[in-house]
Amino acid sequence: MKLNVIQLMSPLHGEEKVKESLAKTYTLFNENFEVTYFDYGEINDEFANRAKDLTLVWIMTGGTEEKFKNIFDYLPRPVILLAEDINNSLAASLEIMSFVSEYKKEKAYLLYNDKDQVLNKIKRLSQITKTISKVSLSNIGSIGGPSGWLISSAVDYEGVKRRWGLNIVDITMEEFYKTLESSQGDYDGYFDKALKRMEPEERDLVNSHRVYNALKSLTEKYRLNALTLKCFDLLMKYGITGCPALSRLTDEGIIAGCEGDLPSTFSMYISYLLTGEIPFMANPSSVDVKKNTIIFAHCTVPTKAVKNYILRSHFESGMGVGIRGEFEKGRVTILKFGGEDLSKVSFAKGKIVDNPESEFRCRTQIEVYLEKDVEDFLSGTLGNHQVIILGDHTESIKDLIAIKGLNVKL
C-alpha cells in the first residue's frame, strides 16, 4: 500500500531533533506502507501532477502554518493532516484545520492520538482513494436501459461523469440479442457445485451459459468493469433468465446487476472495490417491526457470497434458472446510492439471523436484524433494490461520504 508523506517542520526545532523525537511515527509508516517522503520545497506543480496515491501532510511541529498555506493549492483533496502530541504539532494542526474549513471552504481530515487508530484510519483512507481512482477509470454497461418499474432509478450520465468520472455505456437489447443468438460453446458445468437442481432442465443451463457468453463478449468489446441487464425483456422474448450469468460474472469480479438498475449496480461495484466483498442485490420483501428485521430476497446471488446454493426456477415466471443461496449468519452492511448523479446514499448495519425459504418470495432470502429502527430505514431508502455486503463497513462508507461530499439519506 503506497503512501505519500509531506514533512512540515519549523527550522527552530532543529531537523535532526524533530526526526528523532518522532521515530515511532517513522516506524509506523515504514513498517506498514511503501512510503515516499517529501519536504516542503518539493511541493509544487510537478508534485500536484503526479501525486496519485494517498497523501498525508505530517505536521511535525508548530510554526508550520504558513508553510501549509503556501503549498495548499498543490495538495490532493481532501487534505489529510497528521498531528503529534509533542512539538506544538496539535495547536498548529488546529489552526490549519480552521484555515481549510473557514477560509478555503474545503474538507480536511485530522488524524491524531492512538497510533493503532491512526494506522487503521490511514489504511481506510488509502483504500477509499484507490476506490475513487478506480471508479473514475471505469465503464459500466447499461444493456437495454432500466426496467419500466424503476421509476426513481434514472441517472444523468453527464452528472455521474462529473461527480465520479465514471463512464456509462449504453448497449441496446438488439445488440445483446444478436450477440446471444451467435453465442457458441457448450455449458461448462460451472453450476454443478449446486447442492441440487430442482425445476431447471439441462437445456435451461445451456441457455443460461449462452447468456453468460454473450455478456462476456460485450464486456470485452466495451471494456466493461460492471454491467446491468434488462433481464425481464430477455425472459419474455426467449424464456431464458439472466440470473446464473449475472451471478457468475459477479463471482468473476465483473459486477453484474439485475433489471437494468444502474444505481444498484453502481452500489454493488463501489462496495466491491471498497471492501473486497462480493455484493448481493435484493428487494426488501417483508418487515417485522417487533423483531426489527427485514427479509431481503432476489432470484440470483453470486455463488461466492454464500456457503451453498441450489438451482431453482425464476420465482415470478417459473421459467429458466434461479439461484437459492444460503448465507452464513453474521454482520452485514446495507448500502444504496441514488439520485441523478449518484450523490445520495443510504446505509445501515445489521446481522443475518436466518435464511427463510418461502415459496412466495424470490429464491435467495435472508432475514436481517437492523441496528437502526426498521421503519426509519424504510423511510430513507433509495429505491426498491438494496445492496447487502458481508461485514460491518460503515466506517469506510462514512469516510467515503465525507471525502466525496455525498448527501446522506436518513
Side-chain angles (χ1 to χ4, degrees), residues 68-238:
F68 176 87
K69 181 179 179 181
N70 292 339
I71 67 172
F72 177 78
D73 290 339
Y74 304 117
L75 299 177
R77 303 297 194 266
V79 173
I80 303 170
L81 307 176
L82 174 63
E84 300 286 352
D85 57 4
I86 58 174
N87 301 334
N88 285 327
S89 166
L90 182 58
S93 298
L94 294 176
E95 181 72 14
I96 290 169
M97 287 286 290
S98 179
F99 166 77
V100 174
S101 61
E102 296 299 323
Y103 288 87
K104 293 296 184 178
K105 308 300 182 186
E106 293 196 33
K107 173 73 178 177
Y109 274 92
L110 178 60
L111 309 182
Y112 60 93
N113 207 349
D114 181 81
K115 293 302 183 188
D116 287 337
Q117 292 181 8
V118 167
L119 176 61
N120 290 334
K121 186 78 166 183
I122 293 173
K123 287 182 176 179
R124 275 207 314 272
L125 292 173
S126 180
Q127 186 60 36
I128 290 168
T129 300
K130 288 169 60 178
T131 295
I132 293 171
S133 177
K134 177 68 174 176
V135 168
S136 71
L137 300 173
S138 296
N139 299 316
I140 290 184
S142 174
I143 304 176
S147 294
W149 49 86
L150 298 177
I151 59 175
S152 71
S153 299
V155 299
D156 173 11
Y157 290 13
E158 289 302 316
V160 172
K161 182 75 173 177
R162 287 191 299 272
R163 166 69 65 171
W164 295 98
L166 179 72
N167 186 41
I168 301 172
V169 181
D170 274 327
I171 303 167
T172 65
M173 288 301 288
E174 288 70 25
E175 181 175 0
F176 170 68
Y177 294 149
K178 184 178 179 180
T179 308
L180 175 64
E181 289 166 2
S182 62
S183 174
Q184 301 296 321
D186 297 328
Y187 168 58
D188 61 1
Y190 184 82
F191 292 100
D192 290 352
K193 300 183 293 291
L195 294 180
K196 61 181 175 179
R197 169 160 47 105
M198 294 180 65
E199 299 89 351
E201 299 178 1
E202 189 69 19
R203 63 180 176 83
D204 295 314
L205 290 170
V206 172
N207 286 334
S208 294
H209 189 67
R210 290 175 56 224
V211 174
Y212 164 77
N213 284 339
L215 292 175
K216 198 71 180 285
S217 176
L218 292 173
T219 296
E220 293 168 357
K221 177 179 178 180
Y222 292 102
R223 303 173 71 179
L224 303 179
N225 304 94
L227 62 87
T228 182
L229 173 67
K230 197 175 184 182
C231 44
F232 274 82
D233 282 23
L234 167 70
L235 178 68
M236 298 308 294
K237 183 175 178 67
Y238 294 101

Side-chain angles (χ1 to χ4, degrees), residues 4 27 37 61-62 110 193 360 409:
N4 296 324
T27 300
Y37 293 99
T61 73
L110 178 60
K193 300 183 293 291
F360 299 99
K409 183 78 170 175

